[in-house]
Amino acid sequence: MASWPESPRLIGTSIPRLDGLAKASGRAKYPSDIRPEGLLFGVLLSSPHASAKVKAIDLEPAKTMPGVKAVLALATAGESTIFYQGQEIAAVAAETEEKARDAARAIRVEYEILPHVATERQSAAEGAPKVFPTGNTRAARAQTTGKPDEAMQKADAVIEATYELPVITHVCLEPHGLTAHWKGPDSITVYASTQSVMGVANDMVENLGLESANVTVLTDVMGGGFGSKFNADTWGIAAAKLAKEAGRPVRMFLDRAQEHQLGGNRPSAKAKIKLGAAKDGKLVAMVAETSGTGGRGGSNFPLPYVYKVDDRSRAHTEIFVNGGSARAMRAPGHPQGCAVMEAAMDDLAAKLGINPLAFRLANLAEADMVAGGVNRTDLYKEQVERGAKLIGWDRWKPRGQNGDGPIKRGLGLALHQWGGGGAQDKQVACIINPDGSVELRSATQDIGTGARTILAVIAAEVLGLEVGQIKSNIGNSTFPPGQSSGGSTTTPSMAPPCLDAVEKARDELFKRIAPGLDAKPEDLSLKGGKLLVKGEEKATWAQACRKLGMMPVTATGVFGPGLASTGVGGCQFAEVTVDVETGVVRVKKIVAVQDSGLILDMLTWKSQVYGGVIGGLNYGLFEERIMDEGTGAMLNPDMEMYKLAGATDIPEIVVDAYDTPEMRVRGVIGVGEPPTISTAAAIGNAVANAIGVRVPKWPMSPMNVLDALAAAEGKA
Amino acid sequence: MGAEAAVRFTVNGEAREVETDPDRTLLDVLREDLGLPGTKYGCGEGQCGACSVLVEGRRMNACRTAVSKVEGRSVVTIEGLAKGDELHPVQRAFLEENAYQCGFCTAGMIVAAVALLEANPAPSDDEIAAGMDRNLCRCCSYPKIVKAVRRAVELTGGGAR
């Protein structure tokens, strides 16, 4: 049975990316760069209205415009209902993008404009227009454990507060889309910007009535997904249909506004929380009423989060609005659950007059067992201790004691958790060629995390080669089934079958060449690019492979027990300054302590944690979808008024890998999501610590900070 | 769309002539007419910097630049920074520091850094952050990007190019 090497040469060190040169030189071809001969440009016409009936669509004016090769209706006159601004109406393919845009504009659509609800507030108003015939909300029954109301009576301190996070959008830098190229009447190759080549292939098969064998989806590199790019989507299928009609390849990518409007979003969250504790600092009860909107989709999030409250009730209500549907976004639900829980924890600690760090440690479950018999509470305790040291928590002062001038300084912390386990049904093929080249194949893809590099690290480790000698071929749906890039599952799903495949291929190589060396296969080993017989160098890798004659070695690897695990903790600390005159928050320092089992490549691992933290800083300080209640339109579907951090917003970030021998024996666990969960929560708590007032709404924008200060002074 | 006209300019040291609507964006012409897809579309509004190119050595957002505006001028894209197989020091620095994840912003980042070092060959850390602030990275690789620019300063000995 395969197992990770005990004293690895490469695994766990910092290995540069295999795709670095292509990216730094500008030679990497993204799906939106692919330009097959005869390429046409696809443009999606989307609805300007948030709520409407499509009464008539006239494609004729577009069809006769210069350079237009195909036009397709995506809505049906007299039938289609528009639920959000940006919903798909029609698609055009033309010789140039400008001609396609002109043609899309020429399509005549008659709408019956209906009243809309663009925000949670509008949706909940009395007599509000209905998003669904059944209404604008769906309330779930309260989930109750123990006797929260009774227990709350015994609390020495109770806080009751409402915390809110807005809808945010993914803002992948490469928009959603694909290039569709028919290779014959019933055979298609698709270059998709996707986090699931298999998902897109499946969508093509189902929507176009093609045989699986005739669909190839390729994703060499892609420009970000964050949970929003698992499928071909309406526009991707439209591109394939337009390409068929025109008899030429079609490239169809959303523009930036469409990207915000229909490329997916993270649901909002609102939590009215009553949380009580005894004076010894133990939580006694929680009663929470929560809600959120995912457009027409769900918005639930975990609560309580991390901490143990035996007596609790929680009721969640889905609110529907005329907005684009939510999609999975980096650790779905967790940043929201973490932010509201950690805010309540901090406010209660302040009320009790207890150091918030001690209060948290006092309220972890005694045994929070995760896979492999690991007690996550023990992890948290050590992680919090490490984080506290790195941020300098001994400088922490209670609220209201953090500066006499207008600039206040504050510290905050938050804890998070995630699964990060993998699937057990994925495969990797390993091919060792007689010329010494080594190829790995799987239908997974690199969303930017370094998946390609990580598979090569494993192969190089086993074969005693350098990482650059391994050809890591992923991003092809026709290869052995691979994992979608989501849920922090890619590495734990793909690393075990990769190890298995390479070990099998190595063993087969030994079996085939041993007789020619007058040795037994078990006498052979590989080290430093050499073949060893009983520990003695006998041939170079290339010479050894040449002994294969014309027949390569091929092996397919599958999952093996003990190579991957699931269940991580982690904590983050933030230090901020807040100008109480302007409401401007500056993050000065963030400490992120993160476990994730066996770390395969420390370099790409750290990149993930940095990215997660700064993503969380974005949610904490800047990001917000702003809807216009009057028109139902998104007011900031761009990258100007939809604020994102730039280089000057980045604080000192300390990434501390909780990389202990106990963690390494757990095997591989994914890390894409956990480090983005608690950043916004920690920033919110640091702001409250600085200014002595809870800012109950994210982001920590000047407006929300000043509103909270004004409310505290009774001015709002 | 306006009438087509010939627009002449230099791209990566080579004289080019394009028969096109002069109002088309430089980004579109580079990517679609001249076969240089290294420069990316990110926002179409000059806010994200993914489309950064050098025009007479200064950084411009190609998505907001009509191709007619570069008539007679010299444009350098990410593809034109290396001299043959020899990468530009800024490219080498990004490679050494692994200053990217998905890499979609990288071309714009590198071009912006080249322009920054052209204007200020020995910037302070604050000047690097300020100079790179108009380029957005959604994978949030900023710490490594800033480090890469610092490394590029070392590689050039404070004298880019």
Side-chain angles (χ1 to χ4, degrees):
Chain A
M1 200 161 40
S3 61
W4 295 111
E6 268 174 36
S7 34
R9 175 176 58 103
L10 298 168
I11 286 173
T13 64
S14 286
I15 311 280
R17 287 166 180 275
L18 285 178
D19 53 12
L21 180 61
K23 286 176 175 174
S25 63
R27 287 199 287 266
K29 289 275 183 297
Y30 291 77
S32 52
D33 298 333
I34 302 293
R35 208 177 194 296
E37 189 62 33
L39 181 73
L40 298 175
F41 296 81
V43 164
L44 179 72
L45 175 67
S46 51
S47 167
H49 307 296
S51 176
K53 284 264 181 213
V54 178
K55 290 178 73 180
I57 304 178
D58 183 5
L59 302 177
E60 287 312 312
K63 283 183 177 168
T64 55
M65 291 187 58
V68 173
K69 298 296 171 191
V71 187
L72 179 70
L74 300 171
T76 310
E79 285 179 24
S80 295
T81 304
I82 300 303
F83 288 100
Y84 55 91
Q85 182 202 30
Q87 195 172 318
E88 305 90 339
I89 301 292
V92 178
E95 296 280 1
T96 68
E97 190 181 331
E98 290 78 4
K99 284 173 180 159
R101 289 204 183 283
D102 287 348
R105 266 192 292 273
I107 294 171
R108 281 199 286 263
V109 189
E110 203 183 315
Y111 297 97
E112 179 193 345
I113 299 173
L114 302 171
H116 61 262
V117 290
T119 61
E120 297 89 321
R121 194 192 72 87
Q122 257 186 333
S123 181
E126 196 144 327
K130 286 189 166 64
V131 179
F132 287 119
T134 48
N136 288 352
T137 58
R138 190 173 61 224
R141 233 179 334 152
Q143 292 175 310
T144 304
T145 307
K147 294 179 175 166
D149 292 330
E150 222 170 273
M152 196 71 82
Q153 303 293 325
K154 294 176 197 144
D156 295 310
V158 176
I159 58 116
E160 201 166 353
T162 302
Y163 309 102
E164 291 179 65
L165 292 96
V167 172
I168 64 176
T169 68
H170 297 72
V171 202
C172 313
L173 204 52
E174 180 179 42
H176 287 64
L178 53 80
T179 300
H181 189 186
W182 291 86
K183 300 288 180 160
D186 53 6
S187 162
I188 193 169
T189 294
V190 171
Y191 305 87
S193 183
T194 184
Q195 44 196 113
S196 178
V197 288
M198 289 180 64
V200 173
N202 190 52
D203 288 345
M204 290 289 160
V205 168
E206 291 199 345
N207 287 281
L208 301 172
L210 297 170
E211 286 180 25
S212 292
N214 290 344
V215 174
T216 303
V217 177
L218 302 174
T219 303
D220 191 16
V221 287
M222 57 87 75
F226 312 103
S228 68
K229 284 185 180 168
F230 287 109
N231 294 96
D233 289 316
T234 308
W235 49 88
I237 300 299
K241 289 179 175 170
L242 290 168
K244 180 128 205 188
E245 189 183 325
R248 287 166 64 174
V250 170
R251 181 203 290 168
M252 171 90 79
F253 281 78
L254 300 185
D255 64 27
R256 183 50 60 191
Q258 291 172 328
E259 192 63 20
H260 280 287
Q261 291 158 354
L262 67 158
N265 57 68
R266 186 180 93 178
S268 64
K270 184 173 184 177
K272 190 177 164 207
I273 297 182
K274 194 173 175 185
L275 190 65
K279 54 177 175 286
D280 67 353
K282 283 269 182 206
L283 291 173
V284 296
M286 183 187 90
V287 177
E289 287 169 34
T290 63
S291 62
T293 187
R296 302 172 73 213
S299 66
N300 213 341
F301 54 88
L303 192 75
Y305 192 69
V306 173
Y307 307 103
K308 185 173 180 275
V309 204
D310 289 332
D311 294 282
R312 61 181 189 265
S313 82
R314 193 265 175 111
H316 185 76
T317 301
E318 298 292 359
I319 299 176
F320 305 111
V321 303
N322 292 107
S325 284
R327 294 185 175 192
M329 185 167 174
R330 213 164 177 180
H334 281 237
Q336 298 98 306
C338 179
V340 301
M341 185 78 200
E342 289 287 9
M345 289 294 286
D346 236 45
D347 290 350
L348 186 52
K351 193 162 186 179
L352 282 162
I354 298 179
N355 186 309
L357 188 151
F359 184 56
R360 281 170 171 80
L361 294 180
N363 285 292
L364 296 167
E366 210 164 293
D368 172 11
M369 302 309 293
V370 291
V374 172
N375 184 355
R376 185 152 52 190
T377 294
D378 294 340
L379 291 190
Y380 279 138
K381 285 179 181 166
E382 288 183 32
Q383 290 174 345
V384 167
E385 195 185 325
R386 282 163 77 150
K389 231 174 252 164
L390 290 166
I391 196 84
W393 190 258
D394 50 2
R395 297 176 296 143
W396 180 87
K397 287 185 196 135
R399 291 181 185 180
Q401 300 177 21
N402 289 294
D404 298 328
I407 309 285
K408 312 288 186 188
R409 194 170 275 268
L411 291 172
L413 85 155
L415 277 59
H416 61 256
Q417 56 188 232
W418 187 252
Q424 304 191 356
D425 56 356
K426 297 304 183 283
Q427 298 175 6
V428 174
C430 177
I431 303 157
I432 300 173
N433 290 304
D435 66 356
S437 61
V438 180
E439 186 189 355
L440 302 171
R441 289 183 176 184
S442 184
T444 186
Q445 55 286 309
D446 194 341
I447 188 179
T449 56
R452 177 175 279 112
T453 307
I454 279 168
L455 296 185
V457 168
I458 295 168
E461 180 80 54
V462 172
L463 301 176
L465 299 173
E466 293 310 313
V467 180
Q469 289 176 270
I470 312 296
K471 191 134 183 70
S472 199
N473 274 337
I474 56 175
N476 183 328
S477 66
T478 68
F479 287 165
Q483 184 73 347
S484 300
S485 304
S488 304
T489 64
T490 321
T491 308
S493 303
M494 300 313 303
C498 180
L499 179 69
D500 185 46
V502 181
E503 288 192 346
K504 277 180 181 160
R506 177 200 58 195
D507 294 348
E508 174 66 16
L509 170 75
F510 287 170
K511 212 171 100 190
R512 293 213 358 227
I513 66 175
L517 294 158
D518 289 329
K520 292 186 199 133
E522 54 270 31
D523 294 336
L524 306 191
S525 60
L526 296 164
K527 194 179 171 185
K530 301 282 191 323
L531 174 75
L532 280 57
V533 179
K534 290 187 175 166
E536 210 173 299
E537 274 184 33
K538 284 288 179 207
T540 64
W541 168 257
Q543 288 164 344
C545 293
R546 218 168 291 143
K547 296 180 195 299
L548 290 169
M550 283 173 61
M551 269 295 286
V553 170
T554 62
T556 300
V558 295
F559 180 83
L563 296 174
S565 191
T566 185
V568 300
C571 62
Q572 292 189 18
F573 290 75
E575 179 173 0
V576 304
T577 60
V578 187
D579 183 333
V580 292
E581 287 175 354
T582 63
V584 171
V585 176
R586 296 288 301 180
V587 179
K588 294 301 187 187
K589 183 172 178 178
I590 293 177
V591 170
V593 187
Q594 186 61 54
D595 62 293
S596 81
L598 173 70
I599 296 167
L600 293 172
D601 177 2
M602 189 57 83
L603 193 148
T604 52
W605 188 91
K606 282 198 171 162
S607 291
Q608 282 287 356
V609 180
Y610 278 126
V613 165
I614 298 169
L617 180 144
N618 273 320
Y619 319 150
L621 289 187
F622 302 119
E623 289 188 58
E624 183 169 19
R625 181 184 78 178
I626 303 168
M627 300 297 285
D628 180 33
E629 293 191 340
T631 61
M634 181 175 172
L635 288 172
N636 56 345
D638 51 40
M639 291 177 80
E640 180 185 12
M641 300 313 287
Y642 190 96
K643 296 288 183 196
L644 292 169
T648 54
D649 298 303
I650 308 308
E652 178 191 357
I653 299 172
V654 178
V655 173
D656 184 34
Y658 190 77
D659 178 29
T660 64
E662 297 76 35
M663 293 299 101
R664 287 179 207 161
V665 298
R666 299 186 72 191
V668 179
I669 308 179
V671 77
E673 278 149 313
T676 205
I677 296 170
S678 60
T679 323
I683 290 171
N685 286 339
V687 169
N689 179 243
I691 64 174
V693 171
R694 167 62 55 186
V695 179
K697 286 185 183 177
W698 276 264
M700 300 290 124
S701 60
M703 184 178 79
N704 287 339
V705 170
L706 293 177
D707 280 353
L709 285 165
E713 289 172 19
K715 287 182 192 159
Chain B
M1 295 296 292
E4 300 208 336
V7 182
R8 292 176 197 85
F9 55 107
T10 312
V11 182
N12 300 332
E14 211 178 302
R16 305 297 291 256
E17 179 176 329
V18 193
E19 240 354 273
T20 185
D21 175 346
D23 287 340
R24 272 176 80 206
T25 65
L26 175 60
L27 174 68
D28 200 29
V29 171
L30 288 170
R31 286 177 56 83
E32 310 306 342
D33 297 18
L34 299 177
L36 296 167
T39 310
K40 304 295 187 228
Y41 167 92
C43 70
E45 298 188 320
Q47 296 294 334
C48 76
C51 65
S52 300
V53 295
L54 300 175
V55 178
E56 299 294 340
R58 288 184 53 200
R59 189 269 282 274
M60 304 228 351
N61 289 313
C63 79
R64 299 293 289 166
T65 305
V67 66
S68 58
K69 295 275 188 228
V70 300
E71 167 83 42
R73 301 173 81 183
S74 155
V75 177
V76 175
T77 70
I78 184 73
E79 292 95 339
L81 290 176
K83 291 192 170 70
D85 284 339
E86 194 196 331
L87 293 179
H88 187 281
V90 173
Q91 290 175 306
R92 267 163 53 207
F94 270 68
L95 194 55
E96 280 184 24
E97 298 294 341
N98 273 258
Y100 30 66
Q101 291 201 72
C102 86
F104 202 74
C105 73
T106 305
M109 287 283 178
I110 288 174
V111 168
V114 170
L116 167 66
L117 298 187
E118 194 106 347
N120 181 1
S124 66
D125 284 0
D126 282 352
E127 286 169 338
I128 292 173
M132 300 302 291
D133 199 46
R134 291 184 57 210
N135 287 62
L136 296 179
C137 168
R138 187 51 157 164
C139 303
C140 301
S141 301
Y142 297 112
K144 289 188 175 184
I145 290 166
V146 169
K147 226 170 138 189
V149 180
R150 217 180 288 147
R151 175 76 185 129
V153 175
E154 282 170 25
L155 288 173
T156 56
R161 294 217 150 213

